[in-house]
Amino acid sequence: MNQADQTDRPPEYRTLVADRMTWTVRSDMTHLFDGPRAVNWSRLADEPGCRVVKSGPHRSVVYLERAGQSGRPSTGLYVKMHHYPRLTDQLHYLLRRSRVEREWHMLLEARARGVSCVPPVAMGERRRGGFIAENYLVTEAVTDGVGLKEFVTRGLRTFRPEARDGLLRRLGEQFGRFCARLHQAGIYQRDFHAGNILVTVVPAGFEFTLLDLHAAQVRGSLGLGACIDNLVSLNGDLSPVVPAGVRMRFFAAYVAGHEFLRGRFAQYCRLIEERSQRARRRGLPQRDRRCLKNNRRFRSVRRRGLVGHTVRDMIELPEKVLDVIPSPGMSQPHARVVKHSRTSTVWEQTLDLVGLRLTIFVKRYNRKKALAPVRDLFRGSRAMRGWRVGHALRNRRVPAARPLAAMERRRLGLPVESLLVTEAVTDSETLTVVVAEGLRGPAGSRKRRRLTEALAGWVRRLHREGFTARDLKPNNLLVRDVDGAPEIVLVDFDGVSQVHVPSGRQRVRDIARLAQAFVGEPAVRDVDRMRFLVRYLGPDGRDKRVRRRWWGLISHKGVARRAT
């Protein structure tokens, strides 16, 4: 059924009792609760076609596929269950609506106001002594719906390259009009981010659907402050993946019917951008600490005397890594030693996980100095530092290999051995190989220019996000092709430090270390070095005096390094 038709003709709902719960059910879905094809809600996981989408201490979501009635196609349903593990949560909802009931009424009200949201199917709740024992919210799956951020980052790749820019601009304009209608209807979504919005491609362009309205509010009219708050939250979530030009088109479409904002377009664009960046920076430290806790993405592990952390979707990874630890000079069927030195041993390993064949790199750190464990007691082992830095880089959209696990062995409280596991970057080559072999031939000049600009942009982003890398070597950087453009990926986190703002001396040191590796390389010319510098400096690179000063500092630092 078309969503517009559902909005024009509100469906009827019935109240019934099933599985000792009181349900409010859409009239065309009562067969799910009564009759031979009813769902056993108390044992939902045993139902055929049931798949767990999300499981956590406060909320669980499962997907359920059910055959339609009278030869109709099957229906996909999402069942959301809120949990209240703490007594304070139970007391909070003792005399007020639960999250499920609040979201149910919010869905009905939003659809009555003409806002597209997921079609509600049923709501059930059972209380014991006034306390919530069970509650369920059942909504209908949106056919071909994709999360907004996933569509921007992955879904657009399914279209022809020449059509992607136009589609993205069109998406921004139509989404701006959708958000304007949402606010005009008086809907204030306190949890407004790209993960709560579904995108469906239709012949006329795009359709948008709201999810997770348990934190939303209905107001008679939405003030300017509430609108700005929503736009700031949304812009902060999408700014790392959506170009500034598309976000400007979004805001232009949003203010088209708002005379006050239309007359102050540039002023409010700057305001939203500045507030988004401040909010993003405030939230990043808390997000960085998630990799050291148990949550939906990470989990602490203890295996064979080693303790550490791993990504939750690969909980069996540490055990498989420890099963095959190669020794130098010895061959293993699924492990190949890549590097063996006094400080570390690196091997490549292929694992067969559940439904996945994965290639990883494992780095085992050797103790360099007798006092190293004492220092690591306060700053963390090298593997743990690499684990934190790797996820901090990825949280800031700096391309880096994905850390999968970090473990360490302690004696008398001191870390004496540590392992860092990272995912292999597929279809890539080291920067050294690309420069030496990939810049030849008639197309070499164009490739060199694109590679130089990509490398300068990566270093600029690294420093702008508050990181320095004292061991920035070409062998630690991989180059891969993404949509026809080169992308630089960092694979070794040794020497990477997180600071508030890198000093000029640290920035010069990093660039000089990288430039030193290409001294004597015929494929790298002075014009390429100057192009790198101009791209790295950004607007300041237009000033000839600034370029000369940086060129002199980098050259002096490089000569000093070669002399030592």
Side-chain angles (χ1 to χ4, degrees):
M1 184 181 294
N2 193 316
Q3 292 182 6
D5 296 338
Q6 290 184 3
T7 305
D8 296 338
R9 293 183 282 108
E12 297 180 355
Y13 294 91
R14 294 176 51 189
T15 301
L16 51 87
V17 178
D19 285 342
R20 298 179 298 170
M21 277 189 293
T22 302
W23 291 86
T24 303
V25 186
R26 206 169 72 195
S27 56
D28 61 332
M29 289 291 185
T30 55
H31 64 280
L32 298 175
F33 303 86
D34 189 18
R37 300 196 307 176
V39 176
N40 187 352
W41 297 99
S42 60
R43 303 188 65 178
L44 189 59
D46 298 333
E47 288 289 321
C50 181
R51 171 173 56 88
V52 177
V53 177
K54 177 182 179 180
S55 179
H58 300 287
R59 184 174 61 174
S60 300
V61 181
V62 299
Y63 176 79
L64 186 64
E65 186 84 19
R66 303 300 288 182
Q69 284 185 307
S70 305
R72 293 180 180 178
S74 60
T75 303
L77 303 172
Y78 282 99
V79 183
K80 182 187 295 185
M81 297 159 280
H82 284 276
H83 313 300
Y84 308 92
R86 296 178 297 186
L87 179 60
T88 53
D89 295 333
Q90 290 284 2
L91 293 174
H92 183 74
Y93 293 104
L94 185 62
L95 299 176
R96 58 188 299 177
R97 287 177 175 177
S98 65
R99 295 171 187 165
V100 162
E101 187 178 1
R102 197 163 66 240
E103 185 170 0
W104 169 263
H105 288 286
M106 192 68 233
L107 287 170
L108 297 180
E109 182 65 27
R111 291 173 69 82
R113 296 189 179 208
V115 176
S116 176
C117 55
V118 289
V121 173
M123 185 272 294
E125 183 174 279
R126 180 168 66 89
R127 289 180 180 251
R128 186 184 296 122
F131 294 102
I132 301 172
E134 294 179 87
N135 56 8
Y136 298 86
L137 176 66
V138 186
T139 56
E140 194 172 339
V142 178
T143 306
D144 300 327
V146 182
L148 178 58
K149 183 176 285 188
E150 182 180 357
F151 180 79
V152 171
T153 56
R154 300 178 185 177
L156 282 174
R157 297 180 184 178
T158 61
F159 296 90
R160 299 190 313 274
E162 58 272 16
R164 292 172 190 167
D165 291 342
L167 284 171
L168 191 57
R169 291 192 294 268
R170 192 176 181 185
L171 175 70
E173 293 170 355
Q174 294 189 2
F175 186 48
R177 290 192 286 269
F178 170 80
C179 291
R181 291 195 303 271
L182 176 70
H183 289 163
Q184 289 166 5
I187 305 296
Y188 175 61
Q189 171 64 294
R190 289 186 293 176
D191 192 25
F192 200 41
H193 59 82
N196 287 344
I197 301 160
L198 292 181
V199 181
T200 307
V201 181
V202 295
F206 304 95
E207 285 185 353
F208 304 94
T209 308
L210 285 180
L211 301 173
D212 290 344
L213 295 181
H214 63 275
Q217 296 177 352
V218 179
R219 303 178 182 179
S221 62
L222 217 59
L224 180 60
C227 295
I228 296 299
D229 287 343
N230 267 188
L231 296 179
V232 167
S233 176
L234 189 64
N235 185 69
D237 192 29
L238 289 175
S239 58
V241 296
V242 177
V246 175
R247 286 183 276 130
M248 292 283 284
R249 285 177 177 268
F250 162 86
F251 193 57
Y254 177 86
V255 304
H258 202 299
E259 185 177 353
F260 178 80
L261 288 178
R262 194 168 61 247
R264 298 163 178 82
F265 179 79
Q267 177 184 350
Y268 276 90
C269 278
R270 288 193 299 269
L271 173 67
I272 291 171
E273 190 68 26
E274 291 171 0
R275 287 184 55 182
S276 300
Q277 294 302 324
R278 286 200 300 267
R280 173 176 168 269
R281 293 191 190 99
R282 284 196 304 267
L284 280 173
Q286 181 181 2
R287 190 175 180 184
D288 293 342
R289 290 192 292 270
R290 291 179 186 174
C291 66
L292 303 176
K293 301 178 181 179
N294 289 321
N295 47 56
R296 63 180 181 179
R297 290 183 57 198
F298 305 101
R299 182 174 175 179
S300 300
V301 294
R302 182 183 295 272
R303 296 287 189 278
R304 305 181 193 180
L306 292 166
V307 295
H309 308 276
T310 184
V311 291
R312 184 171 283 274
D313 56 342
M314 297 182 187
I315 193 62
E316 72 272 28
L317 180 68
E319 192 71 31
K320 291 183 176 290
V321 169
L322 297 178
D323 283 340
V324 184
I325 297 183
S327 300
M330 296 181 60
S331 61
Q332 295 280 1
H334 298 293
R336 178 178 64 88
V337 176
V338 178
K339 172 189 174 184
H340 177 67
S341 66
R342 183 178 60 89
T343 60
S344 63
T345 302
V346 181
W347 68 87
E348 182 183 10
Q349 189 172 338
T350 302
L351 302 177
D352 291 314
L353 304 178
V354 180
L356 177 67
R357 188 171 179 83
L358 182 69
T359 301
I360 62 173
F361 283 93
V362 185
K363 188 168 189 176
R364 180 171 60 184
Y365 294 93
N366 304 321
R367 188 172 62 183
K368 294 191 296 183
K369 299 178 181 179
L371 293 179
V374 178
R375 292 199 301 268
D376 292 345
L377 178 64
F378 300 97
R379 62 183 182 179
S381 63
R382 295 170 68 189
M384 288 300 173
R385 296 202 301 269
W387 169 260
R388 294 195 301 265
V389 165
H391 284 291
L393 287 169
R394 293 174 63 86
N395 288 340
R396 289 157 179 78
R397 300 283 177 177
V398 179
R402 182 191 180 196
L404 301 178
M407 296 172 286
E408 61 183 12
R409 189 190 309 278
R410 289 177 175 262
R411 291 176 187 163
L412 301 177
L414 300 177
V416 295
E417 181 186 3
S418 59
L419 295 169
L420 178 64
V421 184
T422 57
E423 186 175 359
V425 181
T426 58
D427 302 325
S428 61
E429 290 285 353
T430 64
L431 182 60
T432 304
V433 174
V434 172
V435 171
E437 301 178 3
L439 302 182
R440 300 174 182 175
S445 178
R446 185 165 58 92
K447 290 181 180 179
R448 186 186 300 108
R449 183 187 188 97
R450 294 168 62 190
L451 180 63
T452 302
E453 293 179 352
L455 181 60
W458 184 89
V459 177
R460 175 180 171 83
R461 186 174 186 83
L462 179 78
H463 289 161
R464 190 176 58 192
E465 295 294 345
F467 294 89
T468 63
R470 68 173 186 271
D471 194 27
L472 198 59
K473 299 182 295 188
N475 285 335
N476 294 340
L477 299 173
L478 297 183
V479 182
R480 64 181 176 186
D481 185 82
V482 178
D483 297 331
E487 182 183 58
I488 309 298
V489 182
L490 180 67
V491 294
D492 192 346
F493 306 127
D494 288 349
V496 180
S497 302
Q498 190 172 2
V499 296
H500 182 62
V501 177
S503 65
R505 178 176 296 182
Q506 290 171 323
R507 295 163 64 191
V508 169
R509 179 202 63 194
D510 292 351
I511 299 175
R513 179 68 181 90
L514 186 62
Q516 181 195 3
F518 294 111
V519 173
E521 173 59 54
V524 180
R525 305 165 301 176
D526 283 348
V527 65
D528 301 317
R529 296 183 176 91
M530 181 57 71
R531 183 176 290 124
F532 173 97
L533 194 57
V534 171
R535 174 70 176 86
Y536 171 80
L537 294 174
D540 293 339
R542 302 190 189 102
D543 191 333
K544 184 182 294 186
R545 291 173 298 179
V546 174
R547 294 200 305 267
R548 284 180 177 176
R549 183 168 62 87
W550 274 83
W551 184 280
L553 290 172
I554 294 170
S555 300
H556 177 74
K557 188 70 174 179
V559 170
R561 289 187 63 93
R562 289 197 299 272
T564 56

